[in-house]
Amino acid sequence: MHAYPRLAAKLFRSPLLLDAGVRWSFETALLARMGAAVAQSSAMEGKAPDSRTADIYGTFQNVAIIRIDGVIDKRMLALEAECFGGVDLEVVDEALKQAEYDRAITHVVLDIHSPGGGVTGTPETAARIARLAKVKEVHAFVNCQACSAAYWLASQADVIAAAPSATVGSIGVYMALLDESRALEMEGYSVNLIKAGKHKAMGASFQKLTNEERAIFQGQVDSIYADFKKAVTASRRIAASTMQGQSFDGKTALALGLVDVLTSDSLEEYAGRLLH
């Protein structure tokens, strides 16, 4: 795990807007690679931003299509993309900017298939989508999954269209903090921590979490959760009981107000209906 410190930090020390089941699969994949830190190249490395944007952005007459596929993160590492796929919010932001400034574009379709991801960057990209929706009609098309961070993004569109069997929602935030202190003790290791600042190294896996530290982390999660709910309910009437981290199929999501319309269209068919 320590071979990939940034990825480990995301899974075990950062608030997440991610479907829990997907998170466990990432954890398993990461732990399986412990001790195997081999330098690997990725198609993502070395690519210019414009090239990466072209991978997710396309136009068809007056309609722009932006593909948000896989785990959502900001400034995603090549290793992260290799391990579990995903989309970099910096690239999504660039695609949204292109759609906004292209005068020929009147409609934008966000083709979303994602279990969610990290917190960093998600509120800002969601705000950019909301801004775009003020000048162009934005549709979120979900024929498979839009959960957690992905739903935060989708909720800012004018219209969310979901397949009846799609998975939608998971409005919630969580943080998983790994406690390795007992394992280190059993292996005969002790950590001598030298620090300045009362809360420095808070949440480090080699020490137990204090009640005060737990309260601080809980406050961070609660703050993100409040922002998530505020963004979702800015233009949608959704009951508080529906925003407790659970996901719904498309039919149930429609009844609860999480989506606006059900569709069995393919992406091409749906976008085609928006052509002049």
Side-chain angles (χ1 to χ4, degrees):
M1 177 170 54
H2 301 296
Y4 309 116
R6 179 172 167 178
L7 186 54
K10 286 181 181 297
L11 290 177
F12 296 115
R13 294 195 61 188
S14 303
L16 293 173
L17 294 162
L18 180 65
D19 178 79
V22 176
R23 189 264 179 190
W24 303 139
S25 69
F26 294 165
E27 177 185 334
T28 301
L30 175 62
L31 294 177
R33 296 171 71 95
M34 288 175 63
V38 179
Q40 298 182 33
S41 64
S42 167
M44 188 176 182
E45 291 186 68
K47 270 195 170 186
D50 287 348
S51 176
R52 291 198 292 156
T53 302
D55 291 340
I56 70 166
Y57 182 79
T59 61
F60 185 40
Q61 296 184 33
N62 61 294
V63 179
I65 297 175
I66 299 174
R67 184 167 165 261
I68 301 175
D69 194 349
V71 175
I72 292 169
D73 204 358
K74 185 88 173 218
R75 304 188 73 170
M76 181 174 284
L77 292 174
L79 172 64
E80 294 167 325
E82 175 210 339
C83 283
F84 47 74
V87 61
D88 189 331
L89 287 175
E90 284 196 332
V91 181
V92 175
D93 288 346
E94 184 61 33
L96 291 167
K97 188 189 304 182
Q98 287 190 27
E100 181 177 359
Y101 295 150
D102 188 340
R103 294 183 180 180
I105 298 300
T106 60
H107 293 69
V108 178
V109 177
L110 307 175
D111 177 24
I112 299 176
H113 171 42
S114 170
V119 173
T120 302
T122 296
E124 292 79 15
T125 298
R128 183 178 286 276
I129 293 171
R131 187 180 77 188
L132 178 61
K134 292 180 179 179
V135 295
K136 307 200 176 184
E137 190 171 294
V138 179
H139 293 243
F141 176 81
V142 185
N143 65 359
C144 190
Q145 185 181 37
C147 289
S148 211
Y151 185 76
W152 193 333
L153 300 184
S155 70
Q156 304 307 295
D158 296 295
V159 178
I160 302 178
S165 62
T167 304
V168 178
S170 191
I171 301 171
V173 187
Y174 73 97
M175 176 186 290
L177 296 172
L178 183 65
D179 183 350
E180 295 180 295
S181 58
R182 177 62 175 162
L184 290 170
E185 181 183 344
M186 292 179 67
E187 293 179 14
Y189 293 104
S190 62
V191 177
N192 296 307
L193 176 63
I194 301 170
K195 67 175 185 176
K198 179 180 178 181
H199 298 301
K200 198 65 178 176
M202 181 177 69
S205 65
F206 54 76
Q207 62 186 5
K208 291 187 179 298
L209 198 65
T210 69
N211 289 336
E212 183 181 8
E213 290 170 343
R214 181 179 296 276
I216 292 173
F217 283 125
Q218 185 65 57
Q220 293 174 357
V221 169
D222 289 343
S223 177
I224 297 165
Y225 182 41
D227 289 343
F228 193 171
K229 292 188 292 183
K230 182 178 179 181
V232 167
T233 57
S235 59
R236 300 176 186 281
R237 299 188 57 161
I238 301 175
S241 60
T242 304
M243 298 185 289
Q244 298 298 322
Q246 69 274 56
S247 300
F248 308 93
D249 62 42
K251 291 184 293 185
T252 305
L254 177 66
L256 295 172
L258 275 77
V259 305
D260 303 299
V261 62
L262 296 181
T263 181
S264 296
D265 285 350
S266 66
L267 173 63
E268 292 76 12
E269 290 170 333
Y270 187 86
R273 299 181 194 281
L274 303 178
L275 298 177
H276 285 325

